[in-house]
Amino acid sequence: MTDIAQMQEQRLNALRQTASGAPKLPSNPFFGVGPITDATTDEVDSRLRRIAFDAWIEKTYRKFDDRGNDIGGFTTAEISRSMHRGYPADKILTDMMRAIHRYFGFPKENRMAVGLGGGHSGFTVCIQHLMNANDAGQRVYVDTPRPESDPSKAAGFFRQSWATQLIEMQRFAEKGCESRIHFAASEGVIPTAAELSDLGVSIFVGVGHETTGANAYTSAEIRELLSWLDGDPANRHAVFDATSMLGAMPWEPELVSAVMAKCCLFMPFQKAIGGISGYFVASFTPHALALIEKNQQDPAWAIPRQLKIAPPIDPRQPFSAKRSVDAGPFYDPAEDRMLGGVINTYSALAFAETTFGLLQSEARVGTIVELNRRSAANRAVIDEWVKSHPLLSLTVTDAERRGAAVTLLKVEDDITDAGIHARIIARSKQLLGYEGITHPNGEYEPGLDAARYVNAFPGTPGDYRAWVGGIREPDDVVALLENLQYAYLRAKIVVLEEELAKHGVTFEAPAKADGAVRKDDPNRAYTVLIADLVGLRFGAGGEPDYSEVKAYIEEKGGSFHLGPLGDRSALEKGRIHFFYQPNLSTEAEILPQTDKGQYDALIAAATFIPKSSVFPLGGVRIGAGTGNMGSASWGGGNGEGGEAALMNTPGINSRATAQMAVKAILKVMPDLPVDRLHRMVAGGDFDTGRQLKDFPTAKLEGRKLAVLGYGNIGREVAKLAKAFGMTVSIYAREHHKRWIEAEGFDYAASPVEAASGADVLSVHIGLGRLDAATGIYSNAGTVNAKVLGAMKDGAVLVNYDRGEVVDAGALDAALASGKIAHAAIDADLFSDAATGTLSGPMLPYLPLEECHKGKLELLPHAAADTDHPSRVTGAKQAVDQIFDVIRFKSVVNLKGDLPEGHVSGGSRTPAGIGKVTKQVVAEAGGKAALLEELRQASEKIAAITGALSAVSDRGHQQRIVERYTGLLVENADRQRALLDQLGLYGPAEG
């Protein structure tokens, strides 16, 4: 191939076709395994399946003492170390044979053998027992061309090898005659009943059915074969290699049932057992079993002892005794028992895995009828896809003859050089797997890990072969085809570049993108209003210190300005300028600076932002609730319907708020009069032995705390209360239930249920959505008379959330009746500087303080907003979010709608606060040392707790306790610490 222009054009065309990137991956890349697979999607799924298998073993295979009492289950470790004889090995074998027989629908009159050997040796064993060179009248028909003939060259090595073994059996037998074997003119074709009868055939051997994935039999052929069998059922037999037939028979259900009943079917299971490559099972009709018995009386060849399915009746005479299938490794479904044992060593665990796999497949896919249907449906999916994608074609053009378990595809390309084509196919398989491909310029494309082992057998026409039976979902099949096409085109680009390089044509490596692509305008100065304090600790000048945030902004390349925006044209272009005005409070102060979009964006904390304020690029609220962010630019506090992004910084002040809430509880519970005792002790007016009994109290441990809300603050309060030994009941939306219970808290479906019998109620639900029509928030008045009435008499209420969420009138009545002994309220209170007029959600509580002196503690929403580290951390995160939204149009911690042209940057909270996000888990994956330590700790915990769970014998269990208690506790403690350190403890996002 030397046409440089043609190669360059083909390369460009392949680049255009793959410009959109790699397609969606299949759920499981292993397309080289058979239809009976565990179908796990990844390493996690596989490990979970192994754990489920261990549990199933322990539940299914039990130990019994000599009185028949159940004394616990066998473990996989015990079975793997035990012998392949006796109990439970015998039961495991019988269970597997029963499961295979039942699931695939074999009739009860057909017995099933189990033996050692993989596909080739096992199938040969079946034929050896049926075929007899001493019977000169026996004729065999094989549905593949004679090996080494011209028609067989397209069959590939494996089909020929099956047929070759049959020839050699006849060729080297004393009375053998290979002319008794009739071969097909073409692959996988069944002659008519009349033709088989005319040939005098007594054994039909189906070795071609989907062995390479090339073909299936048609319904008409199956009907002819069954008609031929019915003509003389006692003397005519059909035996198939059913490697891919089972679960992928695309014929009418009645034909499938007839094949299962009237034909002998061989099935290899590729498991390494006893040093042999695998094991097989094979079902035999009663007539076939009679033929085997007959052949044993006049054997034509010596079958190796470990492969015999008709062993000696008298085991003391293994050479000369009469042989019978009744003594062989046969499962008799009529009696539901094994007639004999397996001839040689086998792995009981391998057999158990087969049973478990079938049960899993049945639970996931359904009956064998459904598996057959799904296989045929997947075949149709492939047919439709190929029609609209001319690059790939099916090697079998007859749709009815195409296999329903395996597909064989070839590339229809303009590459005519066979060597170059072979290189492209080989490179494409590197990309489909994990190796990846490297361009001549050094550019590396990592492996897709989309499809492993999609290799056509040697000599088989076509380029890709894959198992696509009913165990696969249709989406997976489409994903496979898309990836095959993509990988071929990408590999073609590499190989063409290699060819062009031979002619001096080279390509520069593309410049690597250095981070995300900037979307801001370098010729514009951006402005941001900071409308609240970003430091709460007093500095040298006696004012709240903003220096940490100022330095942070400047480190990021921004500019920090004290006071309002002046001449915008004087600002340095290409920078983000932050204007710090923490004393803005009223609408009259804010609107003149913000009504015309003077600032592009906003950072605020407690200040209420009017609806008419304009911030075209977005706003961030330091904290979680956004009810004060009223600007129409982002659609008000709900963040819906606007053109800009509304964001928050959830979790920043969660711990500060939670700790203040617990401080409010501890001031009155336990109700020890600390101040009075201090005065008495300081004055020398106390005798511990005589007077201490006069001051009884009760600890927090055992008391019930009701928490309304499972947000960041509510969860932190619950964790602190749990540390005190309190029982915690949490009300939240139902989708939080699994996480609430996973953390050891009680879930309540309603506020009343949570408050029922509670000693303390702590509220953390937020204002909720604002009803634009009524101006009322959805959570206003949630804590009403019913909720308060459900609590214990003399209970404590803590509302460090929003003032509106408690019905002040109901609280007044509860305080008056003694239902509530103490209430702590933290809510906003504003004062107009000119008139002194008070406003804010604290107002309804002020009269209660007059009526219930000493029973209320009122704070001006100070629980979180007076914590300097939290405010600084929140302000820094808000600065990050402003940079992201202006420079990259990436919105972090979105509240409400995502504006057009923006992308979600996910959520961000401090480690250990709030939900565990995918980003947090991804970051944990990059901390190799910590992750390895967590894995080791977790595996030790799983090993010890798994053993304790599995072992029922008290003495054995006690030995485990003695040996491993220290190791268990040490690793449990370390696991929890590592989970916290990695931010993996808590509810998951989504």
Side-chain angles (χ1 to χ4, degrees):
M1 188 174 189
T2 57
D3 190 326
I4 295 176
Q6 184 182 19
M7 284 192 289
Q8 287 182 321
E9 176 58 31
Q10 289 178 345
R11 173 183 175 273
L12 289 173
N13 187 43
L15 283 169
R16 284 191 291 268
Q17 292 183 70
T18 57
S20 58
K24 174 186 173 184
L25 293 174
S27 64
N28 183 332
F30 293 95
F31 282 91
V33 296
I36 306 170
T37 175
D38 63 13
T40 53
T41 56
D42 52 35
E43 285 66 31
V44 173
D45 194 18
S46 183
R47 282 168 166 78
L48 290 174
R49 183 185 181 277
R50 184 73 216 185
I51 292 169
F53 173 69
D54 289 349
W56 176 80
I57 285 283
E58 292 159 13
K59 179 181 178 182
T60 306
Y61 298 106
R62 310 296 294 175
K63 299 173 187 170
F64 301 95
D65 64 19
D66 63 349
R67 299 164 296 175
N69 298 316
D70 187 321
I71 56 174
F74 281 95
T75 65
T76 51
E78 288 177 305
I79 293 175
S80 67
R81 298 194 302 264
S82 63
M83 288 294 290
H84 57 280
R85 293 284 188 271
Y87 181 82
D90 291 344
K91 176 172 170 48
I92 289 172
L93 172 59
T94 304
D95 287 349
M96 181 191 75
M97 300 297 281
R98 181 193 305 113
I100 294 173
H101 200 280
R102 178 194 60 81
Y103 182 70
F104 289 110
F106 291 103
K108 284 197 172 183
E109 58 270 19
N110 289 9
R111 291 178 180 174
M112 182 177 288
V114 58
L116 298 181
H120 284 67
S121 59
F123 194 43
T124 302
V125 167
C126 293
I127 305 303
Q128 280 182 315
H129 283 78
L130 290 171
M131 191 168 68
N132 194 331
N134 294 337
D135 183 354
Q138 189 183 68
R139 297 290 182 271
V140 179
Y141 183 91
V142 186
D143 73 338
T144 192
R146 175 178 290 276
E148 300 179 359
S149 65
D150 286 341
S152 72
K153 291 178 181 178
F157 167 78
F158 287 104
R159 280 191 183 174
Q160 291 192 65
S161 70
W162 257 272
T164 299
Q165 291 179 82
L166 302 187
I167 291 176
E168 290 176 341
M169 287 165 62
Q170 290 283 353
R171 180 175 294 178
F172 298 111
E174 182 181 0
K175 299 179 181 179
C177 179
E178 59 188 274
S179 65
R180 298 172 191 163
I181 303 176
H182 299 281
F183 291 97
S186 58
E187 288 298 329
V189 174
I190 301 176
T192 65
E195 289 170 336
L196 287 170
S197 297
D198 291 344
L199 289 171
V201 171
S202 55
I203 300 177
F204 173 88
V205 179
V207 303
H209 178 88
E210 288 205 34
T211 305
T212 62
N215 66 282
Y217 303 119
T218 68
S219 296
E221 287 176 321
I222 292 296
R223 291 183 190 281
E224 286 293 327
L225 180 67
L226 294 172
S227 176
W228 171 73
L229 289 171
D230 289 340
D232 187 1
N235 297 301
R236 293 176 180 175
H237 312 280
V239 56
F240 288 109
D241 166 27
T243 303
S244 55
M245 285 178 69
L246 295 183
M249 295 184 181
W251 317 305
E252 300 88 331
E254 65 273 13
L255 285 185
V256 173
S257 297
V259 168
M260 302 298 290
K262 298 178 181 181
C263 300
C264 302
L265 298 176
F266 162 79
M267 299 143 282
F269 289 80
Q270 301 302 324
K271 289 280 187 181
I273 51 175
I276 308 299
S277 63
Y279 66 95
F280 70 85
V281 295
S283 71
F284 293 92
T285 66
H287 295 304
L289 291 174
L291 175 61
I292 293 172
E293 286 276 13
K294 177 183 176 184
N295 288 338
Q296 299 311 300
Q297 311 313 312
D298 183 21
W301 31 65
I303 302 173
R305 182 178 59 83
Q306 66 269 27
L307 299 181
K308 286 184 183 292
I309 60 177
I313 293 176
D314 184 351
R316 295 169 299 180
Q317 295 179 289
F319 184 73
S320 60
K322 183 178 183 295
R323 287 164 172 76
S324 171
V325 294
D326 286 336
F330 275 88
Y331 171 71
D332 185 346
E335 296 185 16
D336 188 25
R337 68 182 183 90
M338 292 298 298
L339 299 180
V342 181
I343 303 305
N344 209 338
T345 304
Y346 69 91
S347 166
L349 274 183
F351 287 172
E353 283 179 336
T354 299
T355 306
F356 181 73
L358 284 176
L359 294 174
Q360 293 282 94
S361 175
E362 186 174 25
R364 189 167 58 86
V365 174
T367 66
I368 189 62
V369 174
E370 178 63 13
L371 187 60
N372 280 322
R373 188 198 65 76
R374 284 168 53 115
S375 295
N378 281 352
R379 182 174 66 169
V381 167
I382 295 169
D383 289 350
E384 287 303 309
W385 189 92
V386 168
K387 287 178 183 177
S388 57
H389 296 78
L391 181 64
L392 295 177
S393 69
L394 293 152
T395 58
V396 178
T397 56
D398 185 346
E400 195 179 1
R401 288 190 176 278
R402 281 201 283 274
V406 178
T407 191
L408 189 62
L409 299 148
K410 61 181 177 180
V411 174
E412 304 287 353
D413 197 9
D414 45 16
I415 298 293
T416 57
D417 187 304
I420 291 178
H421 176 80
R423 282 165 54 199
I424 296 174
I425 295 298
R427 290 294 183 84
S428 74
K429 291 172 183 176
Q430 289 178 218
L431 186 59
L432 287 165
Y434 52 82
E435 295 173 85
I437 52 176
T438 302
H439 294 252
N441 60 14
E443 179 189 359
Y444 172 70
E445 294 187 44
L448 300 169
D449 206 12
R452 299 191 197 179
Y453 314 121
V454 285
N455 300 314
F457 285 155
T460 304
D463 300 303
Y464 303 107
R465 171 185 180 271
W467 291 85
V468 289
I471 203 74
R472 297 275 183 180
E473 296 292 338
D475 287 349
D476 253 13
V477 174
V478 172
L480 166 71
L481 297 170
E482 298 281 358
N483 277 277
L484 292 179
Q485 176 175 265
Y486 175 83
Y488 176 84
L489 292 170
R490 297 304 301 176
K492 180 179 179 180
I493 293 166
V494 170
V495 173
L496 289 176
E497 287 173 351
E498 291 171 346
E499 290 298 307
L500 288 166
K502 296 176 183 177
H503 299 280
V505 181
T506 59
F507 302 93
E508 289 187 14
K512 292 185 178 180
D514 187 16
V517 178
R518 292 276 291 269
K519 297 181 180 180
D520 53 329
D521 185 352
N523 299 311
R524 176 182 172 185
Y526 292 91
T527 57
V528 182
L529 171 62
I530 303 178
D532 274 293
L533 292 168
V534 292
L536 304 175
R537 183 184 298 136
F538 291 115
E543 295 292 329
D545 185 6
Y546 55 79
S547 62
E548 292 174 76
V549 176
K550 176 179 182 293
Y552 188 73
I553 289 171
E554 291 171 349
E555 285 173 11
K556 289 180 70 70
S559 297
F560 186 90
H561 307 267
L562 284 174
L565 170 65
D567 181 6
R568 190 183 188 111
S569 64
L571 297 176
E572 182 181 351
K573 294 180 173 58
R575 282 183 176 266
I576 302 176
H577 298 264
F578 293 80
F579 295 85
Y580 186 47
Q581 298 186 77
N583 296 320
L584 291 177
S585 180
T586 65
E587 185 171 324
E589 295 169 336
I590 296 171
L591 274 182
Q593 293 194 45
T594 62
D595 60 341
K596 296 181 176 61
Q598 295 93 321
Y599 297 96
D600 295 304
L602 167 75
I603 294 175
T607 301
F608 187 86
I609 306 302
K611 180 179 181 180
S612 299
S613 293
V614 179
F615 301 96
L617 298 186
V620 183
R621 198 262 159 156
I622 302 175
T626 53
N628 64 309
M629 303 290 279
S631 170
S633 293
W634 43 72
N638 295 333
E640 297 173 347
E643 297 180 353
L646 175 60
M647 296 166 279
N648 60 359
T649 63
I652 290 297
N653 54 10
S654 298
R655 286 186 174 136
T657 307
Q659 290 168 16
M660 292 302 104
V662 172
K663 180 178 181 180
I665 297 170
L666 290 173
K667 289 179 77 172
V668 292
M669 295 177 68
D671 56 351
L672 190 68
V674 175
D675 291 343
R676 180 184 171 191
L677 287 171
H678 167 74
R679 290 192 300 270
M680 294 175 70
V681 171
D685 184 23
F686 200 91
D687 179 83
T688 299
R690 178 171 50 84
Q691 291 176 278
L692 198 59
K693 63 177 175 53
D694 299 328
F695 298 91
T697 187
K699 60 184 181 295
L700 286 180
E701 184 180 2
R703 304 280 193 101
K704 178 180 177 178
L705 168 70
V707 178
L708 304 189
Y710 188 59
N712 297 329
I713 300 173
R715 179 170 172 263
E716 287 299 311
V717 170
K719 286 162 63 180
L720 291 172
K722 187 179 180 183
F724 280 106
M726 299 184 78
T727 298
V728 182
S729 178
I730 301 178
Y731 159 70
R733 290 188 294 274
E734 189 174 7
H735 71 267
H736 293 297
K737 180 179 180 182
R738 61 185 289 209
W739 304 113
I740 290 170
E741 293 179 343
E743 290 200 80
F745 307 124
D746 295 329
Y747 173 76
S750 69
V752 172
E753 182 181 335
S756 180
D759 298 280
V760 184
L761 174 65
S762 193
V763 189
H764 305 283
I765 54 176
L767 288 172
R769 293 177 58 82
L770 176 66
D771 188 320
T774 64
I776 298 174
Y777 290 95
S778 60
N779 288 337
T782 295
V783 181
N784 53 25
K786 286 186 178 180
V787 174
L788 295 173
M791 300 177 71
K792 281 185 180 178
D793 292 341
V796 173
L797 169 68
V798 178
N799 178 17
Y800 276 21
D801 188 5
R802 297 287 178 170
E804 298 93 325
V805 299
V806 173
D807 182 336
L811 176 59
D812 185 12
L815 288 166
S817 68
K819 172 60 74 170
I820 300 298
H822 182 82
I825 310 296
D826 185 33
D828 290 313
L829 183 66
F830 303 104
S831 176
D832 188 286
T835 64
T837 304
L838 296 175
S839 62
M842 178 57 82
L843 281 183
Y845 296 97
L846 297 181
L848 273 62
E849 202 279 333
E850 293 293 327
C851 298
H852 307 286
K853 285 291 184 181
K855 292 185 176 182
L856 265 79
E857 181 180 77
L858 305 180
L859 298 178
H861 215 169
D865 289 339
T866 52
D867 180 59
H868 175 77
S870 294
R871 179 58 67 88
V872 170
T873 301
K876 287 181 178 180
Q877 181 171 312
V879 168
D880 289 340
Q881 290 170 250
I882 291 295
F883 268 86
D884 285 344
V885 79
I886 290 176
R887 287 186 170 178
F888 308 110
K889 292 190 180 298
S890 175
V891 182
V892 175
N893 292 334
L894 173 67
K895 182 77 173 182
D897 297 331
L898 182 69
E900 185 177 352
H902 291 64
V903 296
S904 173
S907 59
R908 187 182 307 159
T909 57
I913 295 287
K915 296 178 179 177
V916 179
T917 65
K918 293 176 182 176
Q919 180 180 347
V920 169
V921 177
E923 290 171 356
K927 298 172 182 176
L930 288 177
L931 205 61
E932 178 60 25
E933 190 177 352
L934 177 60
R935 172 180 174 171
Q936 290 177 7
S938 300
E939 287 174 345
K940 289 171 186 173
I941 293 168
I944 299 167
T945 57
L948 285 171
S949 172
V951 172
S952 300
D953 178 73
R954 296 300 298 170
H956 190 175
Q957 195 175 69
Q958 187 58 37
R959 291 193 294 273
I960 292 172
V961 171
E962 293 291 337
R963 291 171 184 166
Y964 297 110
T965 293
L967 187 64
L968 172 62
V969 175
E970 176 190 0
N971 283 279
D973 292 345
R974 187 59 185 144
Q975 183 194 57
R976 175 58 193 273
L978 287 164
L979 288 171
D980 283 337
Q981 192 173 349
L982 290 166
L984 299 177
Y985 186 77
E989 179 183 48

